[in-house]
């Protein structure tokens, strides 16, 4: 019983790692629907991806998409305030949501006999969300507290905000989803109502369902709860490319930290660009596991760092290749930066080994399989591939794009993008040890 309950709570089933079969179609109101049937476990994941994130906000009104991640749990015309979560949980399910720069994603994981409940609740969120002053005031304080805990009072917590601000000046990625405290405080009820009407409509949404469903009955239920929802205004996504960085930007940030930290971000192409796959593999060469280059050099050998990481932060319109190093006690930032620069230059001048290449590819293939081992993960992947790539079937074939990346491609993207005039360098120091860059 404990194992069954845990599987339900996480949306995990014991099903074969084979091809993910799916159907997709559009309703007349523009809602895109994706259905995946898997009857191995009596659960279903119901998700709605709204193609609205922080990049769709206006300057001076930042944080709205993330605010709605919270606000749309307040209830609806037919769901009382505070009942949204209790309805799901009392019926044996779990739910959550998340927001990025590019989209907002809501989901419920329920016993499969509660599919209709989940569909009704998501249709209520889309058509009848409760947006009033009480809810706005309540969630404003929740979001402000989240901002304090995650950004303002956490060591190195401001690094993403500063990284995006300097990497994308006067562009839609200049701010992060949490928004500014000033904008959260000044936003009015009518601002939130306007935002809801602009973006939370069927023609800006993808309904993705995975699990123990009957396809035809599910289509009937979808028509019942979503077909009559009116189409909203056309949403035009920002497509303009950000301006290139003209030179390196550096800042020293005194912070409540015990150990200095180094954060370097290089501007790179968007997540759908072929080079994003090579950059993802490059990041794993540098920091995936204890045998990776930065970990082995800086944590094991030099013991100059207690933590290192490299990751490709891919977004719909652009990306950042970020390296992070937290200094060991008594070690300085200059040595950390010199080592990272040396390792990047080594990749530019020497092909990575066949052994490294195979290790990275095996790691990516394992992660690809793991991401499709949960019903909620499948539902989210299907929606993401449709929205960002226009190719839902990448859930079955994207790994082939990694397999096409050569060692020469990894070297080429390092040469092309990981250069000093294309980066932002943030140096965090303990407040009592302020220094110049």
């Amino acid at each position: 019983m404990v194992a069954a309950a845990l599987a339900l709570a996480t949306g995990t089933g014991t099903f074969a790692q084979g091809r993910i079969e799916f159907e997709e179609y559009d309703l007349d109101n523009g809602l895109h629907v994706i259905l995946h049937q898997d009857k191995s476990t009596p659960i279903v994941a119901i998700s709605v991806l709204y193609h609205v994130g922080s990049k769709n906000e206006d300057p001076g009104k930042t944080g709205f998409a993330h605010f709605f991640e919270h606000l749309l749990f307040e209830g609806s015309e037919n769901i009382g305030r505070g009942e949204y979560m209790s309805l799901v949980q009392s019926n044996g399910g779990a739910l959550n949501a998340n927001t990025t720069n590019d989209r907002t994603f809501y989901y419920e994981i329920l016993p499969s006999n509660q599919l209709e409940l989940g569909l009704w609740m998501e249709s209520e969120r889309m058509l009848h969300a409760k947006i009033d002053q009480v809810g706005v005031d309540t969630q404003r304080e929740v979001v402000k507290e989240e901002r304090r805990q995650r950004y303002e009072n956490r060591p190195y917590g401001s690094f993403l905000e500063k990284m995006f601000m300097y990497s994308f000046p006067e562009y839609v990625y200049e701010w992060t989803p949490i928004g500014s405290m000033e904008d959260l405080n000044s936003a009015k009820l009518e601002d939130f109502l306007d935002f809801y009407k602009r973006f939370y409509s069927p023609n800006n949404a993808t309904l993705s369902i995975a699990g123990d469903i009957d396809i035809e009955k599910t289509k009937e239920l979808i028509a019942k709860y979503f077909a009559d929802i009116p189409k909203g205004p056309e949403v035009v996504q920002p497509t303009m490319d950000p301006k290139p960085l003209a030179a390196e930007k550096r800042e020293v940030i005194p912070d409540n930290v015990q150990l200095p930290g180094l954060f370097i971000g290089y501007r790179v192409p968007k997540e759908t660009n072929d080079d994003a796959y090579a950059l993802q593999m490059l990041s794993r060469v540098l920091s995936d596991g204890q045998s990776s280059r930065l970990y082995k050099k800086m944590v094991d050998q030099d013991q100059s760092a207690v933590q290192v990481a490299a990751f490709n932060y891919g977004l719909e319109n652009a990306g950042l290749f970020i390296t992070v190093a937290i200094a060991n006690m008594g070690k300085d930032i200059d040595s950390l930066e010199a080592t990272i620069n040396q390792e990047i230059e080594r990749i530019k001048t020497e092909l990575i080994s066949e052994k490294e290449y195979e290790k990275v590819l095996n790691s990516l293939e394992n992660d690809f399989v793991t991401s499709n081992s949960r019903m909620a993960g499948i539902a989210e992947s299907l929606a993401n591939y449709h929205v960002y790539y226009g190719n839902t079937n990448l859930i079955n074939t994207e790994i082939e794009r990694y397999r096409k990346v050569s060692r020469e491609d990894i070297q080429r993207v390092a040469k092309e993008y990981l250069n000093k005039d294309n980066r932002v360098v943030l140096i965090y120091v303990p407040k009592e040890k302020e220094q110049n860059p």
Side-chain angles (χ1 to χ4, degrees):
M1 291 295 292
V2 173
L6 183 60
L8 177 58
T10 60
T12 303
T14 55
F15 46 93
Q17 298 294 336
R19 179 178 175 81
I20 304 297
E21 302 290 347
F22 61 89
E23 291 188 33
E24 57 183 329
Y25 62 96
D26 291 324
L27 297 183
D28 290 342
N29 58 14
L31 178 67
H32 190 75
V33 179
I34 310 173
L35 304 177
H36 165 67
Q37 181 189 70
D38 188 300
K39 290 184 169 294
S40 60
T41 307
I43 59 174
V44 61
I46 303 133
S47 71
V48 177
L49 185 157
Y50 291 95
H51 199 176
V52 53
S54 57
K55 81 169 187 300
N56 301 97
E57 298 162 352
D58 298 322
K61 295 182 179 180
T62 64
F64 274 48
H66 174 255
F67 197 100
F68 268 82
E69 175 193 323
H70 294 261
L71 189 61
L72 293 191
F73 284 103
E74 277 288 306
S76 72
E77 292 180 10
N78 300 301
I79 301 173
R81 193 180 307 280
E83 292 182 5
Y84 203 100
M85 291 188 180
S86 62
L87 269 173
V88 172
Q89 292 167 351
S90 64
N91 281 281
L95 73 169
N96 214 329
N98 55 71
T99 309
T100 73
N101 308 70
D102 299 313
R103 60 101 165 114
T104 309
F105 185 77
Y106 301 88
Y107 69 91
E108 295 88 27
I109 303 165
L110 287 159
S112 52
N113 62 4
Q114 295 296 329
L115 168 64
E116 186 168 4
L117 171 66
L119 291 173
W120 171 67
M121 296 182 74
E122 285 301 334
S123 71
E124 284 290 301
R125 197 196 309 266
M126 188 179 292
L127 181 61
H128 294 135
K130 183 178 291 182
I131 301 173
D132 57 18
Q133 195 63 55
V134 173
V136 166
D137 290 343
T138 300
Q139 295 305 325
R140 194 195 317 264
E141 295 309 310
V142 171
V143 173
K144 286 165 62 176
E145 183 58 27
E146 179 182 346
R147 179 182 169 81
R148 293 185 191 100
Q149 291 182 3
R150 294 179 57 188
Y151 292 82
E152 297 174 4
N153 299 330
R154 176 180 289 184
Y156 321 104
S158 65
F159 106 84
L160 267 183
E161 283 194 305
K162 287 183 175 290
M163 186 66 72
F164 275 80
M165 178 178 66
Y166 292 133
S167 298
F168 300 104
E170 299 180 357
Y171 189 67
V172 293
Y173 290 146
E174 187 174 6
W175 56 89
T176 55
I178 194 68
S180 74
M181 193 71 84
E182 293 76 15
D183 291 352
L184 290 171
N185 282 328
S186 64
K188 307 297 184 185
L189 175 60
E190 53 267 28
D191 297 327
F192 292 109
L193 289 168
D194 288 344
F195 198 80
Y196 179 67
K197 292 174 183 176
R198 280 176 64 193
F199 294 110
Y200 296 84
S201 56
N203 48 299
N204 196 44
T206 298
L207 171 65
S208 181
I209 301 172
D212 180 21
I213 59 174
D214 178 287
I215 296 291
E216 293 308 314
K217 289 182 179 178
T218 301
K219 289 180 178 179
E220 292 173 4
L221 290 173
I222 291 170
K224 176 181 176 180
Y225 289 108
F226 290 91
D228 291 337
I229 298 177
K231 191 174 185 177
E234 181 183 1
V235 176
V236 179
Q237 296 292 334
T239 57
M240 184 181 297
D241 292 331
K243 295 179 182 178
L245 292 177
E248 179 186 76
K249 170 66 180 179
R250 300 175 71 90
E251 183 181 3
V252 175
I253 302 145
D255 196 12
N256 291 320
V257 298
Q258 297 297 314
L259 300 171
L262 175 67
F263 299 80
I264 304 174
Y266 298 87
R267 278 270 303 277
V268 295
K270 60 186 178 181
E271 62 182 331
T272 57
N273 188 290
D274 286 345
D275 283 354
Y277 294 91
L279 288 160
Q280 179 68 14
M281 295 181 76
L282 171 57
S283 73
R284 296 196 176 215
V285 172
L286 290 173
S287 75
D288 186 23
Q290 297 184 5
S291 63
S292 61
R293 293 191 176 192
L294 291 182
Y295 189 97
K296 189 160 53 176
K297 175 68 174 175
M298 302 174 73
V299 179
D300 280 351
Q301 295 177 7
D302 296 349
Q303 297 186 355
S304 58
V306 294
Q307 182 179 344
V308 293
F311 55 95
N312 190 47
Y313 199 119
L315 295 167
E316 190 171 14
N317 291 10
L320 285 174
F321 187 96
I322 297 175
T323 62
V324 179
I326 306 302
N328 208 341
M329 190 69 69
K331 301 295 183 177
D332 63 74
I333 287 292
D334 290 343
S335 65
L336 297 186
E337 185 174 353
T339 301
I340 291 173
N341 289 341
Q342 289 167 7
E343 290 301 321
I344 289 174
E345 289 303 313
R346 187 156 71 97
I347 288 174
K348 292 180 181 181
T349 57
E350 304 171 10
L351 287 177
I352 66 170
S353 69
E354 289 279 5
K355 184 178 180 180
E356 285 177 300
Y357 178 84
E358 291 299 327
K359 170 184 174 269
V360 166
L361 192 56
N362 289 338
S363 173
L364 282 163
E365 289 181 348
N366 180 69
D367 287 354
F368 186 75
V369 171
T370 301
S371 68
N372 295 334
S373 66
R374 300 181 302 111
M375 296 301 182
I378 291 173
E380 185 167 11
S381 291
L382 288 167
N384 282 338
Y385 286 129
H386 163 69
V387 170
Y388 299 138
Y389 297 81
N391 182 2
T392 312
N393 196 49
L394 280 176
I395 196 169
N396 294 307
T397 64
E398 189 184 32
I399 194 62
E400 296 300 328
R401 297 193 176 189
Y402 287 106
R403 290 172 179 155
K404 290 178 181 178
V405 174
S406 66
R407 294 186 296 154
E408 289 79 7
D409 289 326
I410 293 172
Q411 182 181 61
R412 176 181 55 78
V413 296
K415 289 180 178 179
E416 185 168 350
Y417 303 112
L418 305 194
N419 300 306
K420 288 186 177 180
D421 61 354
N422 186 45
R423 72 181 190 180
V424 172
V425 180
L426 304 176
I427 299 169
Y428 282 76
V429 296
K431 281 191 173 179
E432 66 274 16
K433 296 181 180 179
E434 297 182 24
Q435 64 184 53
N436 294 320

